[in-house]
């Protein structure tokens, strides 16, 4: 492997380990965009994934301020050179983007002028699913074959991250339990990407074995850690997919068993309080339990919390469920975040089916509380 590929290998490794550390897909793709810009020496970089309707479902940028992005308005359409890079699996370089016959088509007034350009499609087995766009070489020159090789390596692994995300989102949307379980077992994003991390880290260790033995030993150590984490994730997934026996255990008993499993698999402290009145059985208990599972999943996977508190009780015929964590928090009304976290919408839909009310209280740095109130009987 050429010496020049080693920074790209590190960039890919960092991005994949970000997935394995349970960061969101948006964060991982943003990291890829940032590293692409650095590696190619570009002033601006972007990564776009088409929505199939002439627009982009995601368009992440690097090198532009938030104010500039906002001034340029909504996401661009897939026309001009942006669209051209989605029509072929071949990369494209030019010293002057203005000279390309498809340059015209989308250029907001606030958009900075750009000249040198490197476009690299992100290709999956089913075809082109996105593209990297890099413009304006910072040294004033043009992008070269080495730059293209680096970004093509990043694009190959970006395809895996995007595909895994789509498969997992599809599995979440399936209505039948058997199909959902089958896809979840095969395509669960955290496990599949941890296994991908194992492969990539092994490749890195092999590359460095002769040239840099200490660094290779570091990768081997990381391999052991990833293997252990993947085993724990698989065990957790298998246990969580077992359908709870609500008829036998009641809502309180099923929730208690679920929390016991999570305590064994995660280092986070989980406190559980269950009122005696909430231990019976009700037709809507399955929906309540699913809300609890989703809220716990978010707290343990995404919140970076040190403690989670779960409380279940019954007040005047209403079941009250509360899941609170001391994690990083978020803005519940953020439309972009909601488009990525299907679990928030899922919990709200379950609450509506119960004729109940779901409240999500959170703020950056202030933890999150999910509270469900629903009628029983």
């Amino acid at each position: 492997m050429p010496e020049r590929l080693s920074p790209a290998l590190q960039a890919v490794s960092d991005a994949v380990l970000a997935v394995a550390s349970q960061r969101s897909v948006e964060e991982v793709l943003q990291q890829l965009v940032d590293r692409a810009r650095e590696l190619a020496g570009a002033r601006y970089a972007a990564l776009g994934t088409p929505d199939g309707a002439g627009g982009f479902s995601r368009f992440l940028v690097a090198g532009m301020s938030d104010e500039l992005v906002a001034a340029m308005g909504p996401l661009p359409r897939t026309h001009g050179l942006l669209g051209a890079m989605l029509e072929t699996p071949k990369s494209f370089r030019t010293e002057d983007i203005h000279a390309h016959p498809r340059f015209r088509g989308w250029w907001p007034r606030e958009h900075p002028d750009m000249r040198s350009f490197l476009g690299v499609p992100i290709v999956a087995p089913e075809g082109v699913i996105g593209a990297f766009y890099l413009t304006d070489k910072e040294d004033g020159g043009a992008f070269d074959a080495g730059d293209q090789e680096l970004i093509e390596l990043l694009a190959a692994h970006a395809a895996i991250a995007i595909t895994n995300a789509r498969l997992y989102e599809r599995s979440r949307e399936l209505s039948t339990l058997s199909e959902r379980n089958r896809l979840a077992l095969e395509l669960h994003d955290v496990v599949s990407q941890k296994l991908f991390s194992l492969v990539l880290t092994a490749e890195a260790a092999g590359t460095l074995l002769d040239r840099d033995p200490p660094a290779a030993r570091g990768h081997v150590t990381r391999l052991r850690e990833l293997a252990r984490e993947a085993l724990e994730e698989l065990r957790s997934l298998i246990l969580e997919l077992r359908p709870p026996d609500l008829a036998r255990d009641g809502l309180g008993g099923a929730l208690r068993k679920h929390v016991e499993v999570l305590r064994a698999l995660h280092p986070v402290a989980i406190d559980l309080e269950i009122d005696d009145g909430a231990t019976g059985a009700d037709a809507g208990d399955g929906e309540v339990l699913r809300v609890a599972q989703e809220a716990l999943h978010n707290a343990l996977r995404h919140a970076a919390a040190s403690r989670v508190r779960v409380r279940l009780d019954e007040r005047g015929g209403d079941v009250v469920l509360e899941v609170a964590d001391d994690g990083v928090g978020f803005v519940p009304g953020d439309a972009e975040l909601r488009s990525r976290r299907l679990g928030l919408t899922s919990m709200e839909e379950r609450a509506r089916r119960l004729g109940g009310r779901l409240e999500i209280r959170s703020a950056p740095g202030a933890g999150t509380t999910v509270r469900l109130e629903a009628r029983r009987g």
Side-chain angles (χ1 to χ4, degrees), residues 34 75 129 149 201 225 227 241 253 279 294 302 306 333 349 362 367:
D34 293 338
L75 293 181
I129 60 174
E149 186 178 15
T201 307
E225 295 172 355
L241 286 172
T279 57
E294 188 68 53
H302 305 301
S306 61
E349 289 174 349
S362 186

Side-chain angles (χ1 to χ4, degrees), residues 41-71:
R43 181 169 288 110
Y44 307 111
L47 187 159
T49 58
D51 61 9
F56 285 97
S57 58
R58 294 186 180 95
F59 198 84
L60 299 98
V61 300
M64 294 184 181
S65 67
D66 292 341
E67 292 76 15
L68 176 56
V69 172

Side-chain angles (χ1 to χ4, degrees), residues 12 32 120-123 132 150-160 162:
V12 176
L32 285 168
V120 177
I122 299 171
V123 185
F132 279 105
L150 290 172
I151 307 307
E152 286 175 344
L153 178 61
L154 286 180
H157 296 290
I160 296 173
I162 295 170

